[in-house]
Amino acid sequence: MNDRFQELFTECVVAHGRFGHAAHVHLTWRLLEEYSALEALARLEQGLRAVAQSAGQPENYSATLTTALFLLILEQRQRGQTWEAFAAQQPGLLDWNACAGQLGALYSADLLQSTQARRVFVLPTPGSRQAVSGGSEV
C-alpha cells in the first residue's frame, strides 16, 4: 500500500468513524481528485487489497464490486466539485443499500460472491443474472 493511499484512507476513516461504505465512496472521490481515473482505480484496487490482506480477510476484497462502485462514482462526479457538494447531490451513492440495488440490477448475488468476481472485474452482460442464478458461474 502506498503512503498517499494510506493517508487518504486514514482521513476517510477518521471523517466517517470507520471504513464503511460512505468512507469507501469518500476515499474513491479523493483518489479521483488527485489522479486520473485509471491511476485512481489502480491505487484503489491495490490499497483495498492490501487493507483486506492486513486485516486477515483477503476474501473480503471484490474486484468487481470495487470497480463497479468506482464507475458509479466516476459517472456522477463533477470536476472541481467539493466533497460536500458531491455528497449532498449524490446521497444514493453514500447509502450501501441504494448502491447494492443498482449493482443488483446488473449482477446476481451468486456472481458477486464468486471467486472470479472477487479476483477480477467481471463486466455485466445481458442474461448473466439468469445464467448465474441458474447455477453456472460466469
Side-chain angles (χ1 to χ4, degrees), residues 54-65:
S54 69
Q57 299 175 330
E59 70 283 354
N60 283 354
Y61 176 79
S62 170
T64 301
L65 281 176

Side-chain angles (χ1 to χ4, degrees), residues 24 28 40-49 60-73 96 103 112 117-118 120-121:
H24 184 175
T28 301
L41 179 57
R43 288 174 181 265
L44 183 65
E45 288 180 328
Q46 178 186 29
L48 291 179
R49 283 182 194 271
N60 283 354
Y61 176 79
S62 170
T64 301
L65 281 176
T66 297
T67 303
L69 181 58
F70 176 89
L71 293 172
L72 288 174
I73 295 164
W96 170 244
L103 296 174
L112 288 177
R118 290 181 179 285
V120 298
F121 175 63

